[in-house]
Amino acid sequence: MPQFDTQSVHAGYEPDATGAVMPPIYTSTTFIQSAPGQPGPYEYARSGNPTRQAFERALAELEGGSTGLAFASGLAATATVLELLDAGSHIVAFEDLYGGVWRQFERVRNRSAGLRVSYVPTGDLAALRAAVRPDTKLVWVELPTNPLLEVVDLEAVVQIAHAAGALVVADATFATPYLLKPLDFGVDIVVHSVTKYLNGHSDVIGGAAVVKDAALGQRLAYLQNAIGAVMDPFSSFLALRGLRTLHLRMARHSESALRIADWLQGRAEVSQVIYPGLPSHPQHILACRLFAKGHGGVLSVRLAADAAGVNRFLSRLKLFALAESLGGVESLISQPASMSHGSLTPELRAERGLGPELLRLSVGVEDAGDLIEDLAYALDGLGR
């Protein structure tokens, strides 16, 4: 089996009759059939497209899965996965999770399908056991979580869920298969926002799901086609291009994020630095066991400042752009309370520690020293 770095460059595509080393962008919406009801490998682009399939195969190989499926967005992937559940099913999710998934749970599927979700403190296995019921069909976990970067014992979560007959879905957007392959721990479905690290260049909206079990893969592929929220050919081409350098980018993201997180710990203007790679992180030992190659490019900080001070800090940044999303080659900074988690109620944000002083940094591939200088200049402004 080739090493991950080699797989990243070669997975998913064999040169076609033209000898092209990268797959062409097939824009055709339909394909010729030899006779009525006798299609070839492809018949209609929603059901299958050669460019999209190249990306899907590559991601499945990198994750160690049997089936990879690409969607129009990360939330489209989530929505399709939820269609595996019957109406009225029960879900258990850890509290710290992406606000868009919470919105889908609480403001869409609760109304449209009667899905009921119980939230438990992140990583609390006793609470997870207590929350699982006979009608629990799915346990949802992020690795690490967004935005508090908490880490859970994945093997234990899988054991608890499977004992109850529930599927385990892991959102590994922050980790990518370079840092962690959840399927190896028994997870049933891995989902990604391809928009983030897998593509890596902030120019594609996409999502993906990967499974190891072939029968489950067939069920999910049926839903992908039936619902139709598929990734378009051009985005598939760009996403596959992004995979080719995933190993290089994730190594740099992780190295720089650790350096910046360590530096931020020494600043009086910062009351807390949250990064799994720091010994100060509550689950640092577990994180080192799960993430052998590094701890990713995202870190969160709490500033020792009021809302006006936070805004002053953000306005002084030059290299870190204040913007939604993460995982691109450029460095971004966001305020979860007003951005990625703005859909949560004010009460929930307060309960979960998502105040205006909490900022999430996506460390890009720029020179880490330059990024530190940028943060230092912005932090210096808090004292003025």
Side-chain angles (χ1 to χ4, degrees), residues 75 147 165 261 375:
L75 285 174
L375 292 167

Side-chain angles (χ1 to χ4, degrees), residues 277-301:
L278 293 175
S280 59
H281 190 282
Q283 296 95 36
H284 175 67
I285 295 176
L286 175 61
C288 290
R289 179 164 64 84
L290 290 176
F291 309 118
K293 295 181 180 179
H295 298 89
V298 178
L299 61 105
S300 292
V301 299

Side-chain angles (χ1 to χ4, degrees), residues 152-311:
V152 303
D153 187 335
L154 195 52
E155 290 174 311
V157 170
V158 168
Q159 184 178 22
I160 293 169
H162 285 179
L167 295 172
V168 178
V169 178
D171 183 337
T173 295
F174 282 22
T176 81
Y178 177 78
L179 298 178
L180 177 71
K181 297 183 180 183
L183 297 179
D184 290 348
F185 293 82
V187 165
D188 299 289
I189 305 172
V190 180
V191 295
H192 290 277
S193 173
V194 175
T195 311
K196 313 304 192 295
Y197 287 110
L198 296 185
N199 175 63
H201 293 78
S202 299
D203 55 9
V204 164
I205 295 291
V210 183
V211 302
K212 181 170 285 188
D213 180 75
L216 181 60
Q218 289 178 347
R219 290 174 60 197
L220 198 55
Y222 175 87
L223 291 170
Q224 181 199 42
N225 180 53
I227 295 169
V230 296
M231 183 179 284
D232 68 90
F234 186 58
S235 295
S236 300
F237 173 84
L238 291 175
L240 181 59
R241 174 216 59 184
L243 279 187
R244 299 312 192 203
T245 60
L246 179 64
H247 57 296
L248 300 173
R249 291 183 287 104
M250 289 306 296
R252 181 62 175 265
H253 289 308
S254 299
E255 176 186 353
S256 294
L258 178 59
R259 181 178 168 186
I260 291 169
D262 185 57
W263 175 82
L264 283 167
Q265 288 188 122
R267 295 291 305 211
E269 305 91 342
V270 177
S271 62
Q272 184 183 19
V273 182
I274 308 170
Y275 184 66
L278 293 175
S280 59
H281 190 282
Q283 296 95 36
H284 175 67
I285 295 176
L286 175 61
C288 290
R289 179 164 64 84
L290 290 176
F291 309 118
K293 295 181 180 179
H295 298 89
V298 178
L299 61 105
S300 292
V301 299
R302 295 188 193 276
L303 296 184
D306 58 14
V310 171
N311 289 340

